Amino acid sequence: EAIGKPLTGHTGSVFSVAFSPDGRRLASGSYDATCRVWDVERQEAIGKPLQGHTGWVRSVALSADGRRLASGSDDRTCRVWDVERQEAIGKPLRGHTHEVTSVALSADGRRLASGSYDNTCRVWDVERQEAIGKPLQGHTSGVSSVALSADGRRLASGSYDHTCRVWDVERQEAIGKPLQ
């Protein structure tokens, strides 16, 4: 059973939702090319829609403290947002050659992982606004899901190629063979 009223405000389908670890905030990403952050207890939006993507927002992730929001879009970019200020942190992160399907933030919010239909994963330094190393290649089909370890040193990815992979971010290589 749903608790309270629906959280309304997007003008298109919602593709992705993510709770902050404390469960007090909820982020959403939509076909309307925006992200929103919601106060779960009050059941209302925190500020205005976050605008800047030019394509559907397919994935969102909140940092452990709920102050940063990451988003990945059909416009082939990732963005990081300051939730309190209601603005993007830096410029769009560019490097994928197809839609970004999944994003994840490290616990401290300093690293962002992304997966794409271009069959690669990338890890980004949020403060420097640049990729850490090269794209992680090994999947033979689009990457549908990514997750970062709490310390940001390991990345897990799932793909339409029916495998999961674990990556060493510092070494820029897969750990072991694909998990099938």
Side-chain angles (χ1 to χ4, degrees), residues 136-138 155 165-168 171-178:
L136 301 174
Q137 299 178 330
L155 167 69
R165 297 191 76 118
V166 179
W167 307 88
D168 182 311
R171 293 176 139 181
Q172 296 282 292
E173 62 187 19
I175 298 171
K177 58 184 179 182

Side-chain angles (χ1 to χ4, degrees), residues 8 23 29 32 73 86 110 118 136 139 141 146 157 160 166 173:
T8 59
D32 65 12
S73 171
Q86 295 284 291
R110 292 182 180 193
D118 66 9
L136 301 174
H139 285 294
S141 192
V146 293
S157 58
Y160 291 104
V166 179
E173 62 187 19

